C-alpha cells in the first residue's frame, strides 16, 4: 500500500550526481502512493556504512530537510564507490503508527535493511507460530525480514541463498509483498513481489532502477535521455518473481520458484555500520493509525456507548410501505390506498442483466496477447468490487490492474482485504493516496460547519472528497496504456434520499443509480450554494476540494467504461460466499453486515440518517431487494433492525482520526429534531 523505489548502479559507468537525481525524481513520483511517512537509505561501500533517514512526513519534506541535504552533500563528496546503492519508501500507513520511528521504512532488522509495499494480513499468527523470533515493532514488514534473516543463517543443511529465503518467507505470509532489501552480511540485494506491483528499468549489466508503478519508471525514461537507448528495458516483475543483485561483482539475475540458487558457498560478513536518523515532525501535526479493535474492550467506552441512540421502539411505529420497508419520513414518499409507496409503484427492475456472452464479446477487442495489463478495475476493497475483480481475472481471463483511491476514509479493514484478494489473484494494485491529513481536515471542518446548522441535505458533503476516484481512474488508464474500465457498482444501491433531502425529487427512469439530470444538478448546486451562504463556516479550506469532486463525479468524460453487473445478476449470497470462503475476507468487529464496512464515513452518516429520519442506506437497499424478489419484507425488516444498530468502534475511530470529540459530536447529533 506504499511506494518503493531505488537505484543500484556501477559508478564507473554512471555519474553519481545523476544517479542521485534519478533516485530523488523517482521518490517524488512515488509520493502519489503515500505521504504519511517516508525514508531513504544509502550504502557507502568505501566506509562500510549504511545511512538511513526517515520520518513521519512526505518524501518531499524529507528531501527538503537540512538532515537530508547534509547527507546528500556527504554522499557527493565521499570517495568513489564501486556500486551506488540508494533506495527509499513513501508510506501509506497501515500496520504501526508512523509516529513511532521504528515503524517507518526502511526497516532495519537482524542484519537486513529493507522496504516493503503491501500488507501481511496474518501477522499475529506468524509471530505466534515462529515464537523463536523476537518481535520489536508494530509494523508487519518486521516479520518478513526477521524470518528471511533467520532462514539464511540458521539452516541445518547449510546457508541457503537470499533468493530461496525470500521465496520460503513468502510462502508463510498471506497478503501482499513487494520488497527490496540489502543484506549486510552477504553483500547482495533482493527485489521480489508476490502480486506484481514492482517494475524495473535495467540494462541487465550496469544499472537497475525500480519502482512500484510502470508510469513512474516511464517518466524516468522520458526525463533522462540515455534510458531511451534500446539496451534499457522497462518491465514488470511478475508475481512470485524477483531479482538478485550480487553487489561485489555487480551481477544481475532474475529468479522465481523454478529458478534460484539453493545454497551459498561463502559468507562475506561485511560488517556494515548502520546509522539511523529518525526525524521529528516538520511543519504540521500528523494523524496516527488507529484500529477500531482498540475500542472493543476499553472500560471508558461503556459511557460513550450509552450516548448512542437506537430509537427502535419509536421508529418501529412509523408508517411503512406495505410492499417495501420505506417509512413515511422518506423524502417525496407517497402511499396509495393500499399503502404501497410511489417508489414501489414506479420501480423499474434493475437486476436484469444482459447475457454474459455480450460482455465476453465486448471485452475481446481490448484483450492484449502480450500479457500486459488490459483492464482497469476500480477497487475500493468492498464486496462488489472484489467479486468483479475476481470475475474479470478468473472468468473473463483478462489481465487487470486493481486501482484504489485512498482519500483517508479507506479503513484498515478494507486495506487488509485488498491485500488478501490482490495477493491471491496475483493482481497488481495501483494506489493513489491523497494528502490524507488535508482531506481529513476538510471533513472535520465540514462536519463542524454542519453541526452549527444541521440539514440532512448537506450530509453528502462529508463524502465529497472521495469523488476524485473518477478523475484518477482516467489518469491511471492513460498512464498504463489501458482503455477498458470495468466497474463493480451494485445496481441496488440507489440512495435517492440523499438528494431528496436537498429537495431533488426522485427520477424513476434514470440510467444509473448515481445519475442526475442536468436540471437536477442545477437544483442541487443551488441548494448547496444557498446553505453555504447561510452558514459561513462552510467557507473553509475544503471548498475547492468539494468543487473538484463534483466536477469529477458528474462532468468527467467516461469512455470504454462498463458495468459488470449489467451482464451478471447481482446475488448477495453468491458474493458473500466467494469473498468469505475463497478470499478469507475479514469482517468488521461491530456489525454483521458485509456492505460498507470498508468505508470509514458510512457508520457516521448512517447514524445521522437513522437517528434523525428513522432509516438509513440499509432500508433503501433492502427495499430494492424486496422489489427485485430477492428477499421477503419480513426478512428485510429483520436485517435492517440489526444493520441500523450504532457501530461504536467504527464511529469512535472515524471521529478520532478526523480530530473530533466523540461525546460532543454525538450529543449534538442526538439533539437534532427528529422527523418522527
Amino acid at each position: 500500500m506504499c511506494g518503493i523505489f531505488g537505484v543500484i548502479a556501477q559508478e564507473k559507468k554512471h555519474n553519481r550526481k545523476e544517479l542521485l537525481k534519478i533516485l530523488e525524481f523517482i521518490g517524488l513520483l512515488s509520493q502519489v502512493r503515500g505521504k504519511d511517512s517516508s525514508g531513504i537509505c544509502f550504502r557507502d561501500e568505501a566506509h562500510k556504512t549504511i545511512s538511513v533517514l526517515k520520518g513521519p512526513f512526505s518524501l518531499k519534506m524529507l528531501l527538503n530537510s537540512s538532515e537530508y541535504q547534509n547527507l546528500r552533500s556527504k554522499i557527493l563528496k565521499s570517495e568513489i564507490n564501486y556500486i551506488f546503492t540508494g533506495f527509499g519508501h513513501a508510506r501509506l500507513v497501515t500496520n504501526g503508527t508512523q509516529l513511532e520511528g521504528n515503524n517507518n521504512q526502511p526497516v532495519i532488522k537482524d542484519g537486513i535493511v529493507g522496504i516493503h509495499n503491501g500488507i501481511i494480513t496474518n501477522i499475529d499468527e506468524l509471530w505466534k507460530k515462529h515464537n523463536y523470533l523476537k518481535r520489536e515493532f508494530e509494523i508487519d514488514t518486521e516479520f518478513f525480514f526477521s524470518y528471511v534473516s533467520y532462514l539464511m543463517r540458521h539452516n541445518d543443511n547449510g546457508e541457503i541463498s537470499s533468493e530461496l529465503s525470500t521465496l520460503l518467507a513468502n510462502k508463510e505470509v498471506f497478503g501482499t509483498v513487494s520488497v527490496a532489501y540489502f543484506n549486510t552480511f552477504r553483500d547482495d540485494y533482493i527485489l521480489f513481489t508476490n502480486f506484481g506491483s514492482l517494475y524495473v528499468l535495467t540494462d541487465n549489466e550496469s544499472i537497475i532502477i525500480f519502482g512500484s508503478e510502470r508510469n513512474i519508471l516511464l517518466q524516468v525514461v522520458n526525463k533522462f535521455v540515455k534510458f531511451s537507448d534500446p539496451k534499457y528495458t522497462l518491465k514488470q516483475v511478475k508475481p512470485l518473481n524477483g531479482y538478485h543483485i550480487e553487489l561485489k561483482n555487480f551481477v544481475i539475475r532474475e529468479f522465481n520458484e523454478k529458478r534460484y540458487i539453493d545454497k551459498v558457498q561463502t559468507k562475506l560478513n561485511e560488517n556494515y555500520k548502520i546509522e539511523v536518523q529518525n526525524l521529528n515532525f516538520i511543519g504540521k501535526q500528523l494523524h496516527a493509525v488507529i484500529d477500531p479493535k482498540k475500542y472493543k474492550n476499553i472500560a471508558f467506552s461503556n459511557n460513550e456507548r450509552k450516548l448512542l441512540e437506537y430509537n427502535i421502539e419509536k421508529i418501529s411505529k412509523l408508517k411503512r410501505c406495505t410492499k417495501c420497508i420505506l417509512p413515511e419520513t422518506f423524502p417525496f414518499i407517497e402511499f396509495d390506498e393500499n399503502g404501497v409507496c410511489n417508489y414501489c409503484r414506479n420501480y423499474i427492475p434493475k437486476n436484469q442483466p444482459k447475457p454474459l456472452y455480450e460482455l465476453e464479446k465486448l471485452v475481446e477487442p481490448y484483450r492484449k496477447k502480450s500479457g500486459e495489463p488490459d483492464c482497469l478495475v476500480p477497487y475500493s476493497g468492498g464486496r462488489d468490487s472484489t467479486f468483479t475483480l475476481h470475475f474479470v481475472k478468473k472468468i473473463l481471463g483478462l489481465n487487470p490492474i486493481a486501482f484504489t483511491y485512498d482519500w483517508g476514509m479507506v479503513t484498515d479493514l478494507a486495506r487488509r482485504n485488498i491485500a488478501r484478494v490482490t495477493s491471491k489473484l496475483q493482481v497488481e494494485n495501483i494506489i493513489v493516496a491523497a494528502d490524507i491529513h488535508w482531506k481529513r481536515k476538510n471533513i472535520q471542518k465540514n462536519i463542524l460547519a454542519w453541526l452549527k446548522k444541521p440539514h440532512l441535505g448537506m450530509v453528502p458533503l462529508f463524502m465529497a472528497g472521495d469523488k476524485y476516484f473518477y478523475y484518477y481512474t482516467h489518469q491511471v488508464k492513460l498512464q498504463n496504456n489501458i482503455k477498458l474500465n470495468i466497474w463493480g457498482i451494485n445496481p441496488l444501491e440507489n440512495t435517492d434520499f440523499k438528494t431528496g433531502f436537498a429537495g431533488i425529487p426522485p427520477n424513476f427512469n434514470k440510467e444509473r443509480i448515481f445519475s442526475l439530470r442536468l436540471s437536477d444538478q442545477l437544483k442541487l448546486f443551488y441548494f448547496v450554494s444557498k446553505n453555504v451562504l447561510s452558514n459561513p463556516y462552510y467557507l473553509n479550506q475544503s471548498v475547492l476540494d468539494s468543487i473538484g469532486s463534483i466536477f469529477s463525479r458528474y462532468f468527467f468524460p467516461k469512455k470504454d467504461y462498463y458495468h459488470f453487473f449489467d451482464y451478471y445478476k447481482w446475488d448477495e449470497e453468491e458474493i458473500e460466499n466467494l469473498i468469505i470462503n475463497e478470499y478469507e475476507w475479514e469482517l468488521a468487529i461491530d456489525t454483521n453486515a458485509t456492505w460498507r464496512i470498508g468505508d470509514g464515513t458510512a457508520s457516521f452518516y448512517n447514524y445521522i440518517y437513522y437517528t434523525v429520519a428513522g432509516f438509513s442506506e440499509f432500508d433503501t437497499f433492502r427495499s430494492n431487494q424486496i422489489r427485485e424478489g430477492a428477499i421477503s419484507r419480513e426478512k428485510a425488516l429483520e436485517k435492517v433492525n440489526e444493520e441500523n444498530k450504532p457501530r461504536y468502534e467504527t464511529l469512535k475511530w472515524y471521529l478520532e482520526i478526523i480530530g473530533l470529540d466523540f461525546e460532543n459530536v454525538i450529543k449534538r447529533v442526538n439533539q437534532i429534531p427528529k422527523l418522527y
Side-chain angles (χ1 to χ4, degrees):
M1 295 293 185
C2 308
I4 62 175
F5 58 93
V7 178
I8 307 167
Q10 290 180 308
E11 288 199 350
K12 65 181 181 180
K13 295 185 179 181
H14 300 273
N15 178 272
R16 183 189 299 187
K17 189 173 183 180
E18 183 183 57
L19 293 173
L20 200 53
K21 285 183 178 179
I22 293 169
L23 182 71
E24 292 166 350
F25 181 69
I26 304 171
L28 291 172
L29 293 175
S30 298
Q31 287 185 116
V32 71
R33 298 178 63 90
K35 297 178 182 177
D36 291 336
S37 68
S38 59
I40 202 159
C41 175
F42 295 98
R43 168 182 172 272
D44 186 334
E45 183 182 2
H47 298 93
K48 293 291 185 287
T49 59
I50 298 171
S51 298
V52 176
L53 194 63
K54 53 184 177 176
F57 34 73
S58 71
L59 194 81
K60 182 178 180 180
M61 297 174 77
L62 179 71
L63 296 182
N64 287 332
S65 69
S66 59
E67 290 86 351
Y68 176 76
Q69 293 302 319
N70 291 337
L71 177 58
R72 191 180 196 276
S73 297
K74 179 182 174 183
I75 292 167
L76 290 174
K77 292 176 183 177
S78 68
E79 299 174 36
I80 297 297
N81 287 330
Y82 178 61
I83 304 297
F84 176 92
T85 307
F87 56 97
H89 192 270
R91 187 181 181 206
L92 178 64
V93 172
T94 49
N95 299 81
T97 171
Q98 80 275 37
L99 306 185
E100 170 56 50
N102 286 329
N103 291 326
N104 292 326
Q105 305 209 30
V107 170
I108 301 151
K109 182 71 175 183
D110 298 339
I112 286 177
V113 182
I115 47 181
H116 167 218
N117 164 37
I119 300 177
I120 298 172
T121 61
N122 61 333
I123 194 66
D124 292 333
E125 294 87 342
L126 288 173
W127 283 114
K128 289 177 183 177
K129 177 180 177 181
H130 301 280
N131 55 17
Y132 48 86
L133 301 176
K134 184 179 179 182
R135 186 175 191 177
E136 301 174 273
F137 318 140
E138 295 175 326
I139 192 168
D140 53 350
T141 307
E142 179 193 12
F143 172 82
F144 194 90
F145 291 152
S146 183
Y147 190 54
V148 163
S149 178
Y150 179 86
L151 289 172
M152 289 183 196
R153 297 192 284 186
H154 298 84
N155 193 283
D156 294 337
N157 299 319
E159 292 178 15
I160 62 175
S161 67
S162 303
E163 301 105 304
L164 181 56
S165 299
T166 302
L167 292 167
L168 291 173
N170 179 67
K171 286 183 176 294
E172 292 288 300
V173 306
F174 187 26
T176 44
V177 172
S178 286
V179 290
Y181 66 86
F182 173 72
N183 215 324
T184 61
F185 49 86
R186 279 204 187 146
D187 205 21
D188 60 4
Y189 200 90
I190 292 290
L191 299 174
F192 173 79
T193 181
N194 68 3
F195 70 119
S197 283
L198 187 62
Y199 285 79
V200 296
L201 174 63
T202 181
D203 63 356
N204 288 311
E205 60 179 35
S206 69
I207 189 170
I208 186 165
I209 304 170
F210 66 89
S212 294
E213 295 178 21
R214 176 182 179 274
N215 176 61
I216 291 172
L217 296 189
L218 190 59
Q219 291 190 60
V220 173
V221 174
N222 294 335
K223 183 176 176 64
F224 298 90
V225 178
K226 72 177 184 180
F227 294 117
S228 60
D229 190 308
K231 70 178 181 180
Y232 293 101
T233 57
L234 195 172
K235 57 183 177 179
Q236 182 185 25
V237 184
K238 297 297 183 182
L240 302 178
N241 281 254
Y243 279 82
H244 175 277
I245 301 99
E246 182 189 329
L247 296 174
K248 186 175 183 179
N249 300 313
F250 204 82
V251 177
I252 301 172
R253 62 172 176 262
E254 297 182 53
F255 71 92
N256 55 39
E257 288 185 317
K258 296 181 180 178
R259 186 174 59 203
Y260 59 85
I261 291 179
D262 190 5
K263 301 288 194 324
V264 293
Q265 300 298 319
T266 59
K267 186 174 181 178
L268 296 178
N269 193 22
E270 291 289 324
N271 293 320
Y272 277 81
K273 180 183 178 182
I274 303 175
E275 300 173 343
V276 184
Q277 282 184 278
N278 285 304
L279 303 187
N280 295 321
F281 305 156
I282 297 179
K284 64 181 180 181
Q285 185 179 1
L286 296 140
H287 65 275
V289 164
I290 306 160
D291 193 323
K293 293 177 183 177
K294 165 185 174 183
Y295 305 112
K296 190 69 178 174
N297 297 309
I298 297 179
F300 71 76
S301 73
N302 289 332
N303 291 330
E304 290 185 332
R305 287 174 193 272
K306 292 176 182 177
L307 294 174
L308 295 170
E309 291 185 355
Y310 179 59
N311 301 320
I312 186 64
E313 290 186 9
K314 292 181 179 179
I315 291 171
S316 63
K317 295 176 182 177
L318 284 169
K319 178 181 179 181
R320 292 180 184 268
C321 174
T322 54
K323 182 175 181 181
C324 72
I325 59 172
L326 294 187
E328 59 188 294
T329 52
F330 201 86
F332 295 99
I333 198 165
E334 298 172 359
F335 301 102
D336 65 13
E337 63 276 9
N338 296 315
V340 177
C341 74
N342 51 326
Y343 288 88
C344 285
R345 296 196 305 271
N346 293 282
Y347 186 76
I348 299 172
K350 297 176 177 63
N351 201 13
Q352 306 291 323
K354 305 169 190 175
L356 183 59
Y357 70 78
E358 288 191 18
L359 178 61
E360 294 170 338
K361 183 178 179 181
L362 184 148
V363 304
E364 200 57 37
Y366 297 95
R367 194 182 301 277
K368 294 182 181 178
K369 295 180 180 179
S370 63
E372 294 179 353
D374 48 21
C375 175
L376 192 73
V377 177
Y379 191 34
S380 66
R383 61 185 187 179
D384 300 323
S385 57
T386 294
F387 190 86
T388 300
L389 182 64
H390 164 88
F391 204 96
V392 167
K393 173 78 172 182
K394 291 285 193 178
I395 309 302
L396 294 180
L398 293 167
N399 184 19
I401 288 177
F403 164 61
T404 304
Y405 176 57
D406 196 324
W407 68 295
M409 288 297 115
V410 177
T411 65
D412 281 354
L413 170 64
R415 291 171 177 173
R416 290 192 293 269
N417 283 333
I418 288 170
R420 287 179 172 91
V421 176
T422 54
S423 66
K424 191 159 187 178
L425 283 174
Q426 296 182 11
V427 166
E428 179 184 358
N429 181 211
I430 289 182
I431 299 161
V432 171
D435 184 336
I436 289 176
H437 173 82
W438 183 70
K439 286 279 192 179
R440 289 177 175 172
K441 199 69 177 176
N442 291 345
I443 299 170
Q444 179 202 79
K445 287 181 177 297
N446 283 331
I447 290 177
L448 288 173
W450 183 83
L451 290 171
K452 297 282 186 182
K453 193 175 180 181
H455 193 300
L456 294 182
M458 292 294 285
V459 170
L461 192 62
F462 307 163
M463 295 81 77
D466 75 334
K467 304 304 181 290
Y468 281 95
F469 209 138
Y470 296 89
Y471 168 78
Y472 285 113
T473 295
H474 182 70
Q475 293 299 108
V476 171
K477 283 171 65 178
L478 292 177
Q479 292 167 358
N480 291 275
N481 193 28
I482 292 173
K483 292 183 178 179
L484 179 61
N485 181 200
I486 299 180
W487 291 73
I489 297 175
N490 180 352
L492 305 184
E493 291 181 7
N494 191 3
T495 53
D496 277 336
F497 68 89
K498 293 178 183 178
T499 53
F501 282 125
I504 312 298
N507 175 12
F508 298 113
N509 295 311
K510 63 183 181 179
E511 182 180 357
R512 298 288 174 197
I513 61 172
F514 50 81
S515 299
L516 270 184
R517 294 172 296 205
L518 179 59
S519 59
D520 288 338
Q521 291 176 24
L522 293 173
K523 288 179 183 177
L524 182 60
F525 181 75
Y526 172 76
F527 169 82
V528 173
S529 300
K530 184 177 69 173
N531 276 270
V532 168
L533 292 174
S534 69
N535 184 354
Y537 290 96
Y538 281 124
L539 297 173
N540 56 57
Q541 68 178 37
S542 71
V543 170
L544 291 178
D545 189 38
S546 298
I547 292 172
S549 295
I550 292 169
F551 180 83
S552 297
R553 175 68 179 263
Y554 293 112
F555 301 107
F556 208 79
K558 298 174 178 65
K559 190 177 179 182
D560 303 297
Y561 180 100
Y562 302 102
H563 292 265
F564 173 68
F565 291 109
D566 283 352
Y567 303 90
Y568 195 91
K569 192 177 182 70
W570 190 90
D571 185 298
E572 187 171 31
E573 185 176 350
E574 180 185 12
I575 290 171
E576 289 187 334
N577 282 338
L578 177 88
I579 63 175
I580 293 171
N581 298 325
E582 177 77 11
Y583 294 105
E584 301 177 45
W585 238 49
E586 182 180 349
L587 301 177
I589 60 173
D590 53 4
T591 181
N592 293 327
T594 57
W595 184 41
R596 294 287 196 246
I597 60 174
D599 180 351
T601 62
S603 62
F604 183 61
Y605 66 69
N606 277 324
Y607 178 76
I608 292 172
Y609 287 131
Y610 189 74
T611 299
V612 178
F615 69 90
S616 75
E617 287 181 316
F618 290 105
D619 296 72
T620 61
F621 170 60
R622 297 301 178 190
S623 290
N624 282 336
Q625 282 189 301
I626 294 169
R627 298 176 190 123
E628 295 281 348
I631 192 173
S632 69
R633 187 176 185 277
E634 292 70 28
K635 188 67 176 177
L637 276 171
E638 178 186 328
K639 282 184 173 292
V640 297
N641 286 343
E642 182 64 31
E643 292 163 342
N644 282 325
K645 288 181 179 178
R647 297 175 58 190
Y648 168 74
E649 285 79 12
T650 306
L651 281 166
K652 176 70 175 177
W653 168 85
Y654 174 75
L655 293 171
E656 186 161 336
I657 64 168
I658 62 175
L660 293 178
D661 180 76
F662 179 91
E663 182 175 348
N664 290 338
V665 171
I666 297 302
K667 282 183 175 180
R668 181 68 186 98
V669 171
N670 293 346
Q671 289 169 359
I672 299 171
K674 309 293 191 285
L675 302 185
Y676 51 89

